[in-house]
Each structure stands twice: as C-alpha cells, then as structure tokens.
Amino acid sequence: MGRARSEERRAEILRAALEVIAERGYRGTTLGAVAERVGLTQQGLLHYFPSKEALLVAVLEERDQWDTGGSGDGRKGWRLELLASLVEYNAMRPGIVQTFSALLGESVTESHPAREFFTQRYAQVRDDMAEVLRDEFGDRLPGGLTPEQAAPLLTAVMDGLQYQWLLEPASVDMPKAFRDFLALLRSGGHGPSA
C-alpha cells in the first residue's frame, strides 16, 4: 500500500511539474511552486525528487512513456502510420507539446540540465526512425535515401511541425501536414501522382 501511494504521489508531482513548466518554462519553475501545487513543502518534494534537475528529467522520461504507450521499447515495431497517429494525438494535447518544445529549445544551451537527456533521446529517436523507415521501405526509400539518411529528416519534420503549429494553430494543420510529408516520402519526392 505504501509503495502504491508513493508511486501515485510521484505521478501527481510529475503532472504538476509539467503544468508549472508549461506555464513558466524550466528556468522560471521552482521546486516550491511544484510542491505548492501538490500540497507539499519543498522539503517534502525533495523526498521524491532530490533536485530540480532530477524532476525535469523524470518529467521528460514520463512524457516519452506517454508517447510510446509505456512499452519501454521506444518506437520498436512502429510503422509510419503509427507515427501519424502520434502526431494526431499530439495535436490534442498542446500543453504537453508546448512544454516539450520549450524545454527542447532551452536545452541547446551548454549548461542546461536537459541537454544530455535530449542529446541521448535524439540519438535513440534517429535510430528508431531509421528502423521504422527500413521496415517500411527496405534499404532505400523511393527517392534513393537510406533509412539512416532520412531518419533525421523525419524527426526534424515532426518537431518542426510542432513549433509551427504551436505558433499558429489555426494556420498549420499538423496531422495533415505530416501525412502530406509521408506521401512525399512514399512517392520519392515527386508529390502525389496526377
């Protein structure tokens, strides 16, 4: 019972931290603000997460678990259509996407505590995307690129669409734009057939 309650409390703290980061950004987030949101003292929060950096990494790991369905296998066995479904799902949760995007943007600075997380995450995502592309197309995509060459492009499109959609949601249909990109990949860059 104690362990289940501890896990429940930990999940509650992660949700609150995600909300506070979405509102204030990482640099503007304090452990005190997160603790207050869940009815704890800052000292009580430190029982679950020993530092702000540890809380941040836990929030990012939790977000990735949501995206992969908690499988622990990352994107292994995914297909392009499942990626399209993930883009549609993200369009229904702007707060999560905004938080992730803000943290990603902040993490490019040398001293940011999420820099290592994102560096490792992107190496894994590129590997996963290459596997998805290889499963779909074999060793060469219709346009001639290898899955390893196309993987960073696929990743960049997914993340770049998120930024455009966050800035102008009424003008950027993120799921449709991603499906258009998939059609371009499948056609070898020639666009839809006439």
Side-chain angles (χ1 to χ4, degrees):
M1 179 81 169
R3 183 181 178 107
R5 176 66 185 131
S6 179
E7 287 301 312
E8 190 177 298
R9 188 59 146 168
R10 189 175 158 80
E12 184 182 357
I13 292 167
L14 290 174
R15 281 190 302 273
L18 192 63
E19 291 170 4
V20 174
I21 292 168
E23 293 166 8
R24 304 177 182 192
Y26 173 74
R27 301 234 187 258
T29 295
T30 64
L31 290 176
V34 175
E36 183 180 317
R37 191 148 307 185
V38 293
L40 287 172
T41 63
Q42 187 168 325
Q43 206 55 33
L45 183 101
L46 291 171
H47 170 75
Y48 295 94
F49 299 96
S51 66
K52 182 178 172 184
E53 291 78 13
L55 178 58
L56 171 65
V57 170
V59 164
L60 291 168
E61 288 171 346
E62 183 75 8
R63 186 251 182 212
D64 272 358
Q65 284 295 314
W66 294 335
D67 281 359
T68 60
S71 69
D73 289 337
R75 290 154 194 87
K76 302 267 187 258
W78 280 41
R79 307 277 306 159
L80 286 176
E81 284 309 311
L82 193 51
L83 291 177
S85 296
L86 175 60
V87 171
E88 288 174 13
Y89 177 55
N90 281 342
M92 296 184 295
R93 53 187 199 149
I96 302 287
V97 174
Q98 182 181 34
T99 301
F100 177 83
S101 298
L103 288 170
L104 174 58
E106 288 179 4
S107 76
V108 300
T109 59
E110 204 58 47
S111 62
H112 196 278
R115 184 180 179 99
E116 184 179 338
F117 172 87
F118 279 113
T119 300
Q120 291 174 358
R121 179 186 186 278
Y122 273 105
Q124 184 62 55
V125 167
R126 286 188 302 272
D127 288 347
D128 292 346
M129 293 300 158
E131 185 177 316
V132 167
L133 292 166
R134 187 172 312 291
D135 287 349
E136 184 93 9
F137 300 108
D139 289 336
R140 293 271 170 198
L141 278 69
L145 295 177
T146 66
E148 289 72 23
Q149 290 172 314
L153 304 175
L154 175 57
T155 305
V157 166
M158 289 182 78
D159 286 353
L161 281 173
Q162 287 184 161
Y163 279 107
Q164 293 178 59
W165 171 72
L166 286 169
L167 289 168
E168 213 174 351
S171 298
V172 177
D173 183 340
M174 185 168 61
K176 181 184 179 321
F178 187 70
R179 287 195 182 280
D180 290 345
F181 177 72
L182 293 183
L184 193 62
L185 272 183
R186 289 178 172 132
S187 72
H190 301 292
S193 353

